[in-house]
Amino acid sequence: MAAHVIADDAEALVVAASLAAEFRAGASARDAERRLPREELDRLSASGLLAVTVPTDHGGADVSAPTLAEIFRLLASADASLSQIPQSHFAYVNVIRRQGTDEQRKFFFAELLAGRRFGNAQSEAGTKHVQDIRTRLHPGPAGSYVLDGVKHYSTGALFADWIPVLARTEDDKLHVAYVPGNAPGLTVIDDWDGLGQRTTASGTVRLEGVEVPADRVLPHHLTFEGPQLHGAIAQLLHAAIDAGIAGGALAEAAEFVRTKSRPWFESGVETAAEDPLLIQRFGELSIQVRASEALLREAARAVEAARADLTDDSAAEASIAVAAAKVSAARAAVDVASALFEVSGTRSALNSLNLHRHWRDARTHTLHDPTRWKIQHIGRYVLNGTRPPRHGLL
């Protein structure tokens, strides 16, 4: 696959805005028909956006955290499913940046610049909790490994060239094995049937005796020894997706009211867009969206500042800022997507219009990493100066 190489942050934002406009046109039909976005993902790969965090000394743009967050917000405002697919891609690029050897970085960064995609196989169903990883890397011949396990919610795996798999070695330490999407013994099953995010193909991955060379395995447990931004960056992208959903829902609601809604007869106005009560409600919703976007930008700046000077304190500040952004964006996504029907009127509930996809996407995506625990960590930090934990989900 040939891919364009993006030069800098400015070009990355231009490309993202152009693709968002392109993807928006077919988003509703893809969702309604559950038509998986293979062609759109190929366009995303070819655009070079999936390689924008490759370091400059390897030929990439190494864009800032604010730029990366804005890329995701733009894409999510157009198609929330499509924007979620590469979220794990960038998380596992960061693992290579932090834990990869020189040879691993050289190999995988070249793959990224060529347009290759990372999926993910991390979560497991039926375990005690989300960090109870039971997939195992067993010793294989000549220092290699053999991988066995079953993964669920494997967003991006169906479309991936490489599938990063979270697994534990015999000493119970956490590693990431980067497995080719066509590896013998690896099966990706398209069995995702969520009410929202319908075209992410977040299904099941089965690993049965998958052989993995030692140089495709990275010690992920080391990521959490000392200050780190792995969780902050991953959660920043989730927050950006939620903020994008909120903004997209507000824009579609406004367009619907301007062009299709009728005014309530008691309002005494000619068009719904002149109704003072609707104007008031749109103002309230706009404030909520703007607040989520402002907190997203603030969080991205905190992440960027910590990248420049990574300490326990700067990492904690970044994690708390991202947690605040995620709480705000999650609330905005659900609230605005629900209010879409309130402001648009009865016709907006027609199944044929598929306006409910915004709420379905918001309700589904915001189930990632419960915000109630983020609020707990924010409160502990503000009140007692307690730094958030280094578990990768903050």
Side-chain angles (χ1 to χ4, degrees):
M1 177 188 297
H4 174 67
V5 177
I6 288 175
D8 53 29
D9 291 60
E11 184 185 4
L13 291 173
V14 169
V15 171
S18 176
L19 284 179
E22 179 182 325
F23 296 156
R24 183 175 288 108
S28 179
R30 285 192 296 274
D31 173 89
E33 300 164 13
R34 199 180 178 273
R35 176 159 40 88
L36 300 181
R38 296 182 185 273
E39 293 182 6
E40 289 76 16
L41 282 170
D42 286 344
R43 288 276 296 115
L44 191 61
S45 290
S47 75
L49 279 182
L50 296 184
V52 293
T53 58
V54 170
T56 54
D57 58 357
H58 286 269
D62 198 9
V63 301
S64 68
T67 294
L68 188 61
E70 181 64 3
I71 288 169
F72 271 79
R73 191 196 68 81
L74 288 168
L75 293 175
S77 72
D79 186 331
S81 286
L82 185 54
S83 67
Q84 187 184 342
I85 291 170
Q87 189 273 338
S88 290
H89 169 98
F90 284 98
Y92 286 106
V93 173
N94 282 339
V95 173
I96 294 169
R97 289 185 62 142
R98 186 171 174 90
Q99 300 304 337
T101 65
D102 289 342
E103 286 302 312
Q104 287 170 330
R105 293 189 187 104
K106 181 179 178 181
F107 174 81
F108 279 115
F109 291 155
E111 287 285 281
L112 293 167
L113 291 170
R116 306 286 189 265
R117 293 192 290 266
F118 290 168
N120 95 80
Q122 52 188 18
S123 294
E124 300 178 12
T127 56
K128 186 176 181 180
H129 51 69
V130 70
Q131 293 199 327
D132 181 15
I133 302 297
R134 300 183 184 179
T135 298
R136 284 295 183 266
L137 274 168
H138 306 288
S144 66
Y145 294 92
V146 177
L147 191 57
D148 289 288
V150 179
K151 298 290 188 175
H152 297 82
Y153 314 117
S154 301
T155 303
L158 191 66
F159 315 107
D161 300 291
W162 292 91
I163 301 177
V165 181
L166 275 186
R168 295 190 184 275
T169 47
E170 288 188 320
D171 58 5
D172 209 39
K173 290 183 177 178
L174 193 63
H175 290 70
V176 179
Y178 288 74
V179 180
N182 60 356
L186 183 149
T187 306
V188 182
I189 305 168
D190 179 22
D191 58 358
W192 169 245
D193 66 348
L195 68 87
Q197 301 296 83
R198 296 185 65 204
T199 61
T200 60
S202 301
T204 301
V205 170
R206 295 187 180 277
L207 304 135
E208 299 172 307
V210 178
E211 295 183 12
V212 186
D215 63 357
R216 297 292 178 263
V217 177
L218 280 71
H220 194 31
H221 60 97
L222 297 179
T223 299
F224 308 105
E225 295 183 5
Q228 51 81 36
L229 295 172
H230 179 81
I233 293 173
Q235 292 297 306
L236 180 71
L237 302 187
H238 279 308
I241 293 169
D242 290 340
I245 293 172
L250 183 63
E252 188 145 11
E255 177 65 14
F256 192 92
V257 169
R258 283 193 298 266
T259 61
K260 296 182 177 66
S261 294
R262 297 182 297 178
W264 184 244
F265 71 95
E266 291 179 285
S267 67
V269 297
E270 292 297 314
T271 67
E274 298 172 284
D275 184 334
L277 298 183
L278 282 181
I279 289 171
Q280 175 75 16
R281 191 69 178 112
F282 270 97
E284 293 167 349
L285 295 173
S286 178
I287 290 170
Q288 196 168 2
V289 171
R290 284 173 177 264
S292 72
E293 292 173 352
L295 284 173
L296 179 68
R297 290 190 294 270
E298 178 184 291
R301 288 193 295 268
V303 169
E304 191 65 16
R307 283 181 61 187
D309 182 19
L310 186 59
T311 65
D312 284 329
D313 287 338
S314 66
E317 285 286 345
S319 289
I320 293 299
V322 170
K326 182 67 169 67
V327 171
S328 176
R331 288 175 175 172
V334 174
D335 290 352
V336 176
S338 177
L340 182 154
F341 303 100
E342 169 197 338
V343 297
S344 300
T346 306
R347 187 183 174 192
S348 64
L350 292 177
N351 194 56
S352 59
L353 295 176
N354 199 26
L355 294 177
H356 48 69
R357 73 185 186 280
H358 298 290
W359 182 86
R360 289 187 289 103
D361 287 341
R363 184 63 284 172
T364 302
H365 184 260
T366 55
L367 298 176
H368 278 275
D369 317 311
T371 56
R372 59 186 178 274
W373 276 100
K374 297 184 188 304
I375 295 171
Q376 281 283 312
H377 291 304
I378 294 168
R380 291 169 184 169
Y381 184 74
V382 171
L383 189 59
N384 299 314
T386 305
R387 295 190 186 110
R390 297 171 179 161
H391 54 43
L393 297 176
L394 275 170

